[in-house]
Amino acid sequence: MMILFLILLSLFNVSLFHWLGQDPSFYRLDAYTWESVEFRGMRLGPAIAGLTEVDCERLSGFMLDHAFDLTEFETEADLSGPLETLDILDGRRLLLEQKSAAYKKLCHAYEIVFSDLKYFPIPASTRADTPPVTYEDGWQQKRTYGGERGHEGCDIMGMERERGFYPVISITDGVVEKLGWLEQGGWRAGIRSPSGLYLYYAHLFSYAEGLEEGKTVRAGELLGYMGDSGYGKQENTVGNFPVHLHLGLYLKTDHFEEMSVNPYWVLKYLEKRRLYFDY
Ligand SMILES: [Zn+2]
């Protein structure tokens, strides 16, 4: 009887698979989807960049529906309407209901990433002659210092090369969890947001006055200045790469104390929220 049931179940799954189409992300939805390569890649695309606010439930459905890649969407139109209009086939909706615990977990993971974001980390300048900053998607690019590894963050490059020129502000409210020298990250600041996101600001030139571990910071508060510190056991090692801010985003998951996600599209989303500083 049990065997018959299993055969029927597998036949049902196979036919359901064909009926629903080729996209496998719904089938892989489980409690640990937020630890997947796809989730970590955060390929949110222009679809998310224009939004003023992110509906994480809607976003989760959309990401699943598009195999975690929205980069082909040119605008946010598909993500800005109410959730009820979300274009999910009935069968997929059924699967989402069956896997609601896993789905909620995925939504919650997006909430950790998005709910505290307020400002782009480099304020815009009030002066017309200040060179802008640039960045591109360098997620998992090869790095070799300290052994071969994938790049776990996004580098915001200062066009003005001078150390200490660009102010770095906190993207979120939070608490300073880590401060001080790291061999790879140089002078770094690690901020824990209220929702649990860990924001890692690395290679700083200097810290803002009074910044110390345990201190509460507000979004937009000065953390320090962009630099090129790091890649050396010796404190204050500088000059091993161009001046830039390395931003890393980390979540504590079921299996990882620190799991990185790609900040690139998160920064694109934040670009329209820039504070102005006089520098
Ligand atoms: Zn980097």
Side-chain angles (χ1 to χ4, degrees), residues 143 151 153-155 203 244-247:
R143 293 289 190 273
H151 186 229
C154 189
D155 294 335
H203 310 313
H244 70 280
L245 171 71
H246 170 102
L247 175 71

Side-chain angles (χ1 to χ4, degrees), residues 25-243:
S25 28
F26 281 84
Y27 301 93
R28 288 188 282 119
L29 177 63
D30 64 31
Y32 306 114
T33 299
W34 67 318
E35 293 177 352
S36 65
V37 172
E38 290 88 350
F39 173 79
R40 294 183 58 197
M42 288 272 152
R43 296 172 64 83
L44 304 153
I48 199 95
L51 293 177
T52 47
E53 228 172 294
V54 177
D55 179 332
C56 291
E57 205 174 320
R58 188 178 180 82
L59 175 64
S60 307
F62 234 70
M63 290 303 265
L64 281 168
D65 208 21
H66 295 276
F68 288 88
D69 186 358
L70 301 184
T71 49
E72 85 263 28
F73 284 86
E74 292 300 317
T75 69
E76 68 273 22
D78 296 309
L79 269 166
S80 52
L83 186 67
E84 299 77 58
T85 63
L86 185 59
D87 181 25
I88 298 181
L89 293 170
D90 284 347
R92 291 190 174 177
R93 199 179 288 282
L94 188 73
L95 278 178
L96 280 186
E97 279 163 16
Q98 286 170 356
K99 297 184 171 183
S100 63
Y103 186 59
K104 276 183 190 142
K105 205 155 183 170
L106 182 64
C107 296
H108 180 60
Y110 280 114
E111 273 164 17
I112 294 173
V113 175
F114 279 97
S115 53
D116 299 320
L117 304 178
K118 290 219 173 75
Y119 301 116
F120 192 81
I122 311 297
S125 171
T126 50
R127 303 180 193 193
D129 60 345
T130 297
V133 293
T134 59
Y135 61 102
E136 52 187 53
D137 191 355
W139 178 246
Q140 294 302 335
Q141 275 176 357
K142 199 169 96 175
R143 293 289 190 273
T144 51
Y145 183 87
E148 203 165 296
R149 63 202 152 88
H151 186 229
E152 292 196 335
C154 189
D155 294 335
I156 303 176
M157 316 300 294
M159 299 294 279
E160 171 68 54
R161 318 299 278 179
E162 192 187 325
R163 300 174 184 124
F165 179 78
Y166 290 95
V168 175
I169 59 173
S170 185
I171 293 171
T172 64
D173 292 346
V175 175
V176 181
E177 200 167 284
K178 298 278 182 194
L179 215 61
W181 184 261
L182 280 182
E183 186 181 340
Q184 279 181 11
W187 297 117
R188 58 69 159 96
I191 311 288
R192 182 75 61 181
S193 84
S195 301
L197 184 66
Y198 183 76
L199 300 101
Y200 170 72
Y201 305 81
H203 310 313
L204 298 177
F205 168 75
S206 61
Y207 293 120
E209 216 182 302
L211 199 71
E212 56 184 27
E213 286 183 9
K215 183 180 187 282
T216 300
V217 292
R218 302 298 304 268
E221 192 172 322
L222 185 71
L223 297 177
Y225 289 89
M226 192 192 281
D228 58 348
S229 63
Y231 281 23
K233 287 191 193 335
Q234 196 75 34
E235 280 192 7
N236 272 328
T237 301
V238 291
N240 286 331
F241 43 75
V243 171

